[in-house]
Amino acid sequence: MASEMNSRDLSQTYKMAGDMFVTLFNEIGKVVVGQAETVEQIVIAILCNGHALVESNPGLGKTLTISTISKAMDLNFSRIQCTPDLMPADITGTQIIEESDGHKEFKFEYGPIFANIVLADEINRASPKTQSSLLEAMQEKQITVGNDTYILEQPFFILATQNPIEMEGTFPLPEAQLDRFLLKVLVDYPSYEDEIEIVNRYTKSISPSVNKVVNKNTLLDLQRLTRDVPVADDIRNRAIKIVMSTRISSEFIEYGASPRASIGIILAAKARALIKGRNYVSAEDIDAMAYPVLRHRIVLTFEAERRGVTTDQVIKSILEKIK
């Protein structure tokens, strides 16, 4: 009986999904000007139950975008401002001594990791020890403090930001942690028209706000629907060939992507198809999602860096060769 109800709920969510996504992006657009691709990719990461690394120069609205998405999805939101002196306990929480009626006992004080969307702002400013405290949460959706393990509430996402131009006092993320981010999203400068709208919108006395569009249960249904989007064998094989091409010795690639990338491209392509209102994955979905899935998983050679070749240029070259 319960499975029949769940099936009906999923069917209803699927019928409403198209209008729901249109409304969601319109609500986010009330606050975030332009950046349609950035917003879409972050939503795709959430639909895939994955984490995203958002990179841009300062002042391009990374934090605003992430907090706005959490409001539109009615998710608990917490923000961690990463600094070199931030300790793991500042993220996970710690045991404190609490006195009551003359008795002292240990009580666990929950840290900011206990939220649905956790924004790790400027994650590359945190020390490696603190960065590693996020690994268990990202992979296992739980944290361990002392001898106790705490399960994190679902849905749970870490959306981290980093600034690529300020390198002093930063600690590059290790490859093992980078691999656990489903997508690396790049935020570019706004167009001339968008910047006019930004100035007009944020120099008024009333700041824009968003309405709640998707609740937690609906989001969990959308995550299930994402995995149910069918993918043809030839489309799936194309994704795998793209990833395996990164492992072939070349003058520009030092290390290629792991099988996590193959899984990531397929999942992200399914989410993109659902957002676009299609019940199948196309080659366009695969190619579009190859960039954010692969750009942080490929390690370029010194020769590539010497010539100024970017990861996206290498990915584009691979896509053009794969039929």
Side-chain angles (χ1 to χ4, degrees):
M1 188 70 173
S3 62
E4 290 180 8
M5 290 181 65
N6 290 337
S7 179
R8 286 200 298 270
D9 290 343
L10 276 179
S11 177
Q12 186 66 22
T13 302
Y14 179 73
K15 291 176 182 177
M16 297 169 57
D19 292 336
M20 201 180 302
F21 285 124
V22 171
T23 306
L24 174 65
F25 290 124
N26 285 341
E27 284 297 317
I28 295 170
K30 291 180 180 179
V31 175
V32 181
V33 179
Q35 305 295 359
E37 186 176 2
T38 298
V39 172
E40 180 181 276
Q41 289 181 4
I42 294 174
V43 172
I44 284 172
I46 291 173
L47 290 176
C48 296
N49 198 23
H51 313 289
L53 179 64
V54 186
E55 181 177 286
S56 80
N57 294 341
L60 297 185
K62 301 184 295 294
T63 303
L64 177 66
T65 300
I66 294 170
S67 63
T68 301
I69 290 173
S70 70
K71 291 174 184 174
M73 290 187 168
D74 194 21
L75 299 174
N76 296 329
F77 173 78
S78 68
R79 179 173 182 261
I80 302 167
Q81 183 61 54
C82 295
T83 57
D85 59 349
L86 188 74
M87 298 299 292
D90 296 326
I91 294 175
T92 60
T94 187
Q95 297 281 359
I96 62 172
I97 298 176
E98 191 175 70
E99 187 171 352
S100 177
D101 299 327
H103 297 284
K104 295 180 179 179
E105 60 181 6
F106 283 104
K107 176 188 175 184
F108 182 69
E109 187 73 21
Y110 291 88
I113 198 72
F114 289 90
N116 298 124
I117 289 185
V118 178
L119 169 61
D121 215 355
E122 295 187 282
I123 189 172
N124 54 334
R125 284 197 165 279
S127 67
K129 182 177 182 179
T130 302
Q131 290 174 6
S132 67
S133 68
L134 297 171
L135 282 176
E136 184 182 13
M138 295 174 71
Q139 186 66 29
E140 309 296 338
K141 305 297 176 76
Q142 66 182 31
I143 63 156
T144 302
V145 179
N147 296 323
D148 298 319
T149 298
Y150 300 87
I151 305 299
L152 299 169
E153 180 188 359
Q154 297 300 311
F156 171 76
F157 315 99
I158 289 180
L159 301 177
T161 72
Q162 65 179 13
N163 171 1
I165 64 172
E166 192 175 1
M167 303 308 295
E168 186 176 349
T170 62
F171 304 88
L173 271 66
E175 299 302 324
Q177 186 166 352
L178 280 173
D179 200 32
R180 284 169 170 80
F181 285 102
L182 175 65
L183 306 179
K184 181 179 180 180
V185 182
L186 301 182
V187 185
D188 204 356
Y189 285 107
S191 65
Y192 176 72
E193 292 75 14
D194 285 343
E195 192 146 354
I196 289 176
E197 177 59 26
I198 290 170
V199 172
N200 289 338
R201 190 177 296 186
Y202 287 96
T203 54
K204 295 178 180 178
S205 57
I206 300 176
S207 298
S209 60
V210 297
N211 296 315
K212 298 172 183 176
V213 176
V214 180
N215 59 38
K216 293 179 186 178
N217 291 333
T218 302
L219 177 56
L220 292 172
D221 285 345
L222 289 171
Q223 288 179 342
R224 292 173 61 187
L225 286 170
T226 295
R227 291 179 174 268
D228 288 341
V229 174
V231 54
D233 289 348
D234 60 323
I235 300 297
R236 179 204 60 207
N237 294 344
R238 175 176 173 77
I240 294 173
K241 288 178 182 177
I242 290 169
V243 174
M244 294 193 72
S245 294
T246 68
R247 304 171 195 160
I248 298 173
S249 177
S250 81
E251 63 175 329
F252 293 145
I253 300 177
E254 185 79 32
Y255 300 105
S258 74
R260 275 201 188 103
S262 300
I263 296 170
I265 290 178
I266 295 295
L267 270 180
K270 287 185 174 189
R272 187 176 188 270
L274 185 65
I275 288 174
K276 300 296 183 183
R278 284 185 277 102
N279 61 354
Y280 63 91
V281 174
S282 69
E284 180 194 356
D285 296 321
I286 297 294
D287 290 1
M289 300 317 301
Y291 290 95
V293 171
L294 290 175
R295 63 169 55 113
H296 58 300
R297 291 183 164 96
I298 295 176
V299 179
L300 298 183
T301 61
F302 172 78
E303 180 63 20
E305 295 183 13
R306 187 183 71 82
R307 293 194 194 178
V309 176
T310 66
T311 309
D312 280 15
Q313 288 172 338
V314 173
I315 296 169
K316 182 180 179 181
S317 175
I318 290 173
L319 294 177
E320 291 172 347
K321 293 176 184 176
I322 302 296
K323 304 297 182 185

